[in-house]
């Protein structure tokens, strides 16, 4: 049943497959984001309590849920690599970490900029905000571990252990607004499948969310391809590809030949 | 359209600073991420190319060295052969 998946475990096949995906993903991301963001900024109604500051929601919530989604993806990749010794999974985890870190930072910054006018403070050490900050530190730790070792397999293992330990933070972020008293409001979109949100606010949100998700997928594909090349640099297919795509002047080879003739 | 004029759009009902701060910082961070990922990809390719060229050069030099040694050996054996003939 899973046999169709097997060829994609080959680095060369996944490199070319993700290369074909990128134009489609990025075009769709551009379409969804431009529709969603214009709708969110100019056409969606203002909130009856929060006024136009509510428009921050259209970035804040997609960024926050993607920051957790990317972490979950990274944890699944780390688990796969650890259990089945599947090397490509390490490459994908290393590709996801910086993207996740940026979206966590966006969630924190937009949250602060929304908190200031609504709560009267940029930051408060309550459960939701603190656990999201810890998520940022987990991402930074994973990035640091991936680049701390010359041996990429060892680096993947170390980063994978940190990733898997850090998974405990995900339910804490998700349920922090229910478990503890907090300034942060509860969930409005995914409330038991029945969003407590007006439809003319929900649609632009869905466009923004799908657009950001496609954008994340595009960036992860770009970084995943770099990771594949860096980890397979001695393979013949990489050597051929590098020779064709390098922007460096090809002088040294001809120089060697000319000195040989003298 | 929720706003009557462009200035009203920029003002965002008094929350302009916070709304545009959020959208601006997010746009900058995402653009930096995209550009650095694309530059990083080319850098990986160039780094591999540099290493590849260095390896090729080493291999050529090694081959040259071996040839030179073999030539030197041949010359010396020729000379000793000449001596024997004399």
């Amino acid at each position: 049943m899973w046999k169709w998946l097997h060829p994609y475990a080959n680095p060369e096949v996944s490199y070319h497959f993700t290369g074909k995906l990128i134009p489609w993903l990025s075009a769709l991301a551009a379409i969804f984001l431009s529709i969603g963001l214009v709708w969110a900024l100019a056409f969606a109604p203002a909130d009856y309590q929060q006024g136009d500051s509510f428009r921050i929601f259209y970035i804040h919530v997609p960024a926050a849920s993607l920051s957790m989604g990317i972490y979950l993806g990274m944890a699944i990749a780390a688990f796969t690599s650890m259990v089945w010794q599947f090397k490509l999974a390490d490459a994908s985890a290393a590709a996801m970490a910086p993207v996740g870190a940026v979206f966590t930072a966006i969630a924190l910054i937009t949250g602060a900029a929304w908190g200031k006018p609504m709560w009267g403070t940029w930051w408060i050490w309550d459960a939701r905000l603190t656990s999201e900050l810890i998520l940022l530190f987990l991402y930074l730790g994973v990035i640091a571990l991936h680049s701390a070792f010359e041996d990429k397999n060892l680096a993947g293992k170390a980063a994978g252990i940190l990733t898997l330990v850090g998974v405990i933070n995900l339910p804490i972020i998700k349920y922090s607004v229910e478990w503890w008293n907090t300034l942060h409001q509860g969930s409005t979109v995914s409330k038991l499948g029945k969003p407590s949100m007006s439809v003319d606010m929900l649609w632009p949100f869905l466009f923004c969310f799908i657009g950001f998700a496609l954008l994340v997928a595009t960036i992860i594909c770009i970084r995943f391809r770099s990771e594949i090349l860096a980890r397979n640099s001695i393979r013949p297919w990489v050597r051929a590809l590098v020779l064709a795509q390098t922007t460096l002047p090809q002088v040294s080879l001809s120089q060697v030949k000319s000195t040989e003739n003298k | 359209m929720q706003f009557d004029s462009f200035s009203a759009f920029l003002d965002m009902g008094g929350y302009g600073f916070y709304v545009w701060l959020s959208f601006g910082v997010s746009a900058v961070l995402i653009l930096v991420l995209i550009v650095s990922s694309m530059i990083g990809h080319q850098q990986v390719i160039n780094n591999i190319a540099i290493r590849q060229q260095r390896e090729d050069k080493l291999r050529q030099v090694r081959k040259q060295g071996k040839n030179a040694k073999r030539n030197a050996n041949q010359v010396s054996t020729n000379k000793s052969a000449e001596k024997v003939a004399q």
Side-chain angles (χ1 to χ4, degrees):
Chain A
M1 177 183 160
W2 291 100
K3 248 189 182 156
W4 61 271
L5 200 60
H6 287 184
Y8 296 103
N10 176 328
E12 187 178 0
V13 174
S14 353
Y15 184 86
H16 292 300
F17 176 67
T18 45
K20 275 180 207 144
L21 274 186
I22 285 173
W24 295 100
L25 286 175
S26 53
L28 282 174
I31 292 170
F32 272 89
L33 274 181
S34 44
I35 294 174
L37 288 176
V38 170
W39 196 342
L41 276 173
F43 295 97
D47 187 73
Y48 79 104
Q49 277 184 327
Q50 306 194 347
D52 287 311
S53 77
F54 170 76
R55 298 182 197 282
I56 296 173
F57 166 91
Y58 295 106
I59 299 185
H60 177 73
V61 175
S65 48
L66 283 170
S67 74
M68 292 165 68
I70 297 167
Y71 197 93
L72 192 65
M74 204 169 72
I76 293 170
F79 186 78
T80 315
S81 139
M82 216 162 277
V83 174
W84 291 286
Q85 304 287 315
F86 179 43
K87 298 291 166 248
L88 268 186
D90 270 346
S92 68
M96 284 183 239
V99 185
V102 167
F103 276 82
T104 312
I106 290 175
L108 286 168
I109 293 168
T110 55
W114 196 4
K116 183 63 186 162
M118 288 301 113
W119 304 340
T121 176
W122 294 97
W123 183 262
I124 177 177
W125 292 100
D126 85 342
R128 176 53 79 80
L129 280 68
T130 310
S131 55
E132 183 76 8
L133 185 66
I134 291 173
L135 185 72
L136 179 64
F137 292 146
L138 281 170
Y139 273 124
L140 295 182
V142 169
I143 295 170
L145 279 178
H146 269 297
S147 54
F149 296 90
E150 196 69 31
D151 177 356
K152 286 295 165 204
N153 288 334
L154 196 63
K157 219 171 267 180
I161 290 170
L162 177 62
T163 308
L164 289 178
V165 171
V167 168
I168 185 66
N169 196 27
L170 290 184
I172 296 179
I173 300 175
K174 177 108 179 70
Y175 295 109
S176 56
V177 284
E178 293 165 29
W179 290 345
W180 294 287
N181 269 328
T182 167
L183 275 183
H184 199 285
Q185 67 191 68
S187 172
T188 41
V189 178
S190 61
K191 223 158 104 186
L192 287 173
K194 282 185 273 181
S196 55
M197 218 175 145
S198 144
V199 178
D200 41 5
M201 289 175 172
L202 189 65
W203 273 106
F205 167 77
L206 286 178
F207 269 90
C208 285
F209 185 82
I210 294 170
F212 277 118
L214 288 164
L215 182 67
V216 162
T218 310
I219 305 172
I220 289 176
C221 278
I222 296 173
R223 303 194 74 95
F224 178 58
R225 282 157 58 87
S226 315
E227 293 289 337
I228 291 181
L229 286 188
R231 282 150 200 261
N232 292 279
S233 57
I234 53 167
R235 305 262 178 239
W237 70 270
V238 177
R239 297 181 69 98
L241 188 142
V242 160
L243 210 60
Q245 291 189 5
T246 179
T247 50
L248 295 174
Q250 300 270 326
V251 280
S252 48
L253 267 182
S254 50
Q255 271 175 352
V256 169
K257 272 174 194 152
S258 63
T259 51
E260 194 183 28
N261 292 338
K262 279 171 195 166
Chain B
M1 195 68 158
Q2 290 292 317
F3 301 99
D4 303 330
S5 64
F6 189 66
S7 58
F9 176 64
L10 288 183
D11 186 52
M12 282 280 158
Y15 296 114
F17 172 70
Y18 302 106
V19 172
W20 295 116
L21 178 72
S22 301
F23 278 74
V25 169
S26 308
V28 167
L29 282 179
I30 289 172
L31 279 180
V32 167
L33 180 67
I34 293 174
V35 170
S36 73
S37 301
M38 287 165 78
I39 293 175
H41 190 72
Q42 193 58 51
Q43 261 171 356
V44 166
I45 289 178
N46 286 350
N47 283 344
I48 298 174
I50 289 171
R51 202 186 321 158
Q52 210 164 292
Q53 287 174 356
R54 201 182 297 145
E55 280 168 13
D56 287 342
K57 217 186 273 178
L58 268 178
R59 204 171 298 134
Q60 297 277 12
V61 169
R62 216 173 293 146
K63 209 189 261 172
Q64 252 176 303
K66 234 178 231 170
N67 286 342
K69 215 181 248 175
R70 196 184 300 143
N71 291 341
N73 283 342
Q74 269 178 357
V75 169
S76 65
T77 49
N78 288 347
K79 271 185 184 165
S80 55
E82 277 168 22
K83 268 182 192 168
V84 169
Q86 280 174 353

